[in-house]
Each structure stands twice: as structure tokens, then as C-alpha cells.
Amino acid sequence: MRCPFRGQLILKFSNAQIPRCFLVVNPAPKTLDSDKLKAKLEDTYGLTVAGVLPLSTRMVALASSDLFVTQYPDHPLTHGLEAMARLVML
């Protein structure tokens, strides 16, 4: 299913008086070339992609019973969340 607001919502936020605006892709299938997608999104919308977060069945299985990052500190999703946190804290 396609999002009827694809792009419109992003442009509305990027044109607002928001000092910093980022894009996040979540969840991204493992088969996706995240570097190409990131470049395409940044070129298309003129915004920084803060992260391309991988789809994680472990996250789904955890079902909010604990913090994912503490249970799986070396998981690619945890690394992506940490990178996003560093970016927004600048």
C-alpha cells in the first residue's frame, strides 16, 4: 500500500520553523541497499537521513518486555539507534 501523503508531510515539516529535521527509515528490509536509499532520500527531500533502521524480528519478539538496546547491545538496530542519538544530540 502506498502512503497518500508520501513526500507532502516531509516537505511540510521541512518548510516549518523547525531548527533541525531528519528522516528515519524504519523498518528497512535486510535486502534493501540502505546507502542507496539514504542518498536518494537526501537528494529528493533535501534533508539528512538520521538512520536506516533494519527490520528486527528480535525487536518484535521482545514485545516491549525489556529495552532492546540493553538486551542486544551489539545488534545492528542498536547501533543505528545509537548513531541517531549522537546525531540529534549535536
Side-chain angles (χ1 to χ4, degrees), residues 20-51:
R20 296 172 70 201
C21 187
F22 301 99
L23 300 174
V24 176
V25 178
N26 179 42
K30 292 177 182 174
T31 57
L32 186 72
D33 184 333
S34 59
D35 291 332
K36 283 184 181 178
L37 177 62
K38 180 179 177 185
K40 182 174 176 73
L41 288 171
E42 289 179 340
D43 183 55
T44 300
Y45 297 110
L47 296 170
T48 300
V49 173

Side-chain angles (χ1 to χ4, degrees), residues 52-84:
V52 178
L53 302 176
L55 174 63
S56 171
T57 55
R58 288 183 177 176
M59 171 71 99
V60 175
L62 196 57
S64 299
S65 64
D66 205 339
L67 292 174
F68 184 85
V69 297
T70 59
Q71 290 296 309
Y72 302 100
D74 294 321
H75 194 278
L77 177 58
T78 298
H79 294 295
L81 292 168
E82 290 170 340
M84 286 180 11

